[in-house]
Amino acid sequence: MRGNLTKMITVLLLIAVLFAGGCNRQKTNIAEPPPGQDQAILADFNALVQKPTVQPAEVVNFLDANITKVSAATASAMVIGLEKILKEKLPDWQQRFADGQIDRQVLVRVYQSGLSNEFINSVPKPQQELFLAIKNGDYKLETAEGEFFPVIDYEFLQRYRQSVTPDIVAYLDLMAVESRATPIKDAALMISWPEIIERALNQERFLKQYGDSPKAADVRQLLNRYTLFALYGANNTPLFSYNTQTMVPAAKQAYLAVTFNAGDGSFSQVMADYIPVLVKNDFRLTEEVQQHRKQVSDNLF
């Protein structure tokens, strides 16, 4: 059973994710910009992000200078474009960490104390680019299993909330939650069982309200990840005790405290079906429970 769980969590951790509720755009412009201005700024933006050598800081500077000059739809397209650049550049930065190109003691100091301009100027120039990206908010430093690595800082992207469409506001809010407190680290859940349910329900609400959003597919992947958390837990924080095969009391309490309406979305449907199976089996990891959750998880991907 543990081997199957390990395999499932491995799948979980491979899901790209690595973010509620909407609000109306609070415009800084008195009126919508002329269509020609929108088109011109968006054309310049597209030309910038298509440069092979473009760095996130250049895109951020462009957005900061132009985002209040365009419509909410165009602003949203540019924020999504910035996110795309951040994702594209991330593997290269992560590889530099994995290759040991940055001294570990330096990383410990940065993680604990933050960054100053004096410190950045003291490190070799190839490292300065990354540390500037972290200091400017494009990325943040994370640690797991004794290793350091950069991740996208979605709290930084919330600076654009007032300029984008309601669905992108809601998406940035979801992702900022993920960025602020990662759900899993070192194969262990870092948030409580009630928090797992709350986040999943917020993601489900996003999909119900903004199913046609360009970020719906990303949120759906995120929700699949949380569905697996709810079904399995994690290797070092399993839903069922490895020794007794009984459900963790805190999880049982959290699951029974919520009334799941199957019509609200896929997560609520899964939980509405899962809990009666758990009750029937006295919250023990029986063959029936294993088969049920395996069937559900197989249908997620």
Side-chain angles (χ1 to χ4, degrees):
M1 183 276 294
R2 185 165 183 173
N4 291 336
L5 176 59
T6 301
K7 180 179 179 182
M8 184 55 57
I9 299 303
T10 300
V11 172
L12 180 154
L13 292 174
L14 289 175
I15 298 174
V17 207
L18 219 140
F19 123 145
C23 72
N24 293 326
R25 182 192 183 204
Q26 300 175 16
K27 300 174 185 175
T28 54
N29 296 3
I30 295 176
E32 287 294 322
Q37 177 172 293
D38 256 37
Q39 294 170 6
I41 291 175
L42 187 57
D44 289 343
F45 176 81
N46 288 333
L48 173 64
V49 298
Q50 288 169 12
K51 289 170 47 181
T53 59
V54 68
Q55 293 300 319
E58 297 176 75
V59 184
V60 168
N61 289 338
F62 185 94
L63 260 67
D64 289 349
N66 293 284
I67 200 164
T68 60
K69 302 175 185 176
V70 298
S71 66
T74 298
S76 297
M78 294 196 300
V79 170
I80 292 172
L82 170 58
E83 181 194 36
K84 183 172 183 288
I85 291 295
L86 290 170
K87 287 181 176 180
E88 288 176 352
K89 301 296 182 182
L90 188 57
D92 176 55
W93 288 124
Q94 291 176 333
Q95 189 60 47
R96 297 191 194 189
F97 278 74
D99 291 344
Q101 296 182 30
I102 303 177
D103 183 80
R104 180 176 175 77
Q105 293 305 313
V106 171
L107 295 176
V108 171
R109 175 181 171 185
V110 170
Y111 187 75
Q112 293 177 341
S113 306
L115 288 164
S116 66
N117 289 331
E118 180 182 5
F119 168 78
I120 292 174
N121 291 332
S122 71
V123 301
K125 195 166 186 64
Q127 298 180 17
Q128 289 183 15
E129 188 178 26
L130 174 59
F131 287 129
L132 280 171
I134 293 174
K135 185 174 187 296
N136 293 337
D138 305 334
Y139 299 105
K140 59 186 288 189
L141 204 57
E142 262 294 355
T143 180
E145 298 182 350
E147 301 296 332
F148 291 93
F149 51 90
V151 296
I152 297 173
D153 187 357
Y154 280 93
E155 289 188 279
F156 170 80
L157 295 183
Q158 285 198 302
R159 65 196 291 173
Y160 304 120
R161 289 178 86 260
Q162 293 186 333
S163 298
V164 297
T165 53
D167 63 311
I168 302 305
V169 171
Y171 172 73
L172 294 177
D173 287 348
L174 288 178
M175 296 307 295
V177 169
E178 298 299 299
S179 184
R180 192 176 304 121
T182 183
I184 189 168
K185 186 182 290 189
D186 297 336
L189 293 176
M190 304 302 293
I191 59 177
S192 68
W193 298 102
E195 177 74 7
I196 288 171
I197 294 174
E198 180 181 355
R199 291 191 188 188
L201 291 176
N202 284 336
Q203 295 153 17
E204 184 177 72
R205 291 186 191 102
F206 176 96
L207 292 172
K208 190 170 185 178
Q209 187 171 3
Y210 303 115
D212 59 349
S213 169
K215 302 309 298 181
D218 287 348
V219 175
R220 194 168 291 109
Q221 281 195 331
L222 183 63
L223 181 57
N224 286 344
R225 186 186 195 201
Y226 274 83
T227 302
L228 290 177
F229 287 147
L231 290 170
Y232 289 90
N235 280 346
N236 293 331
T237 319
L239 183 63
F240 295 90
S241 167
Y242 287 130
N243 296 325
T244 66
Q245 303 295 292
T246 58
M247 189 172 175
V248 175
K252 177 182 176 181
Q253 181 179 359
Y255 289 14
L256 293 178
V258 179
T259 300
F260 295 99
N261 183 350
D264 287 342
S266 62
F267 180 77
S268 292
Q269 176 73 68
V270 165
M271 297 303 289
D273 292 341
Y274 192 32
I275 290 176
V277 176
L278 295 172
V279 171
K280 178 184 174 183
N281 289 272
D282 197 27
F283 296 93
R284 297 183 65 84
L285 186 57
T286 63
E287 182 64 26
E288 181 180 11
V289 172
Q290 291 190 59
Q291 289 301 317
H292 177 86
R293 65 182 186 174
K294 181 180 185 303
Q295 182 179 4
V296 173
S297 58
D298 285 348
N299 289 330
L300 290 177
F301 307 105

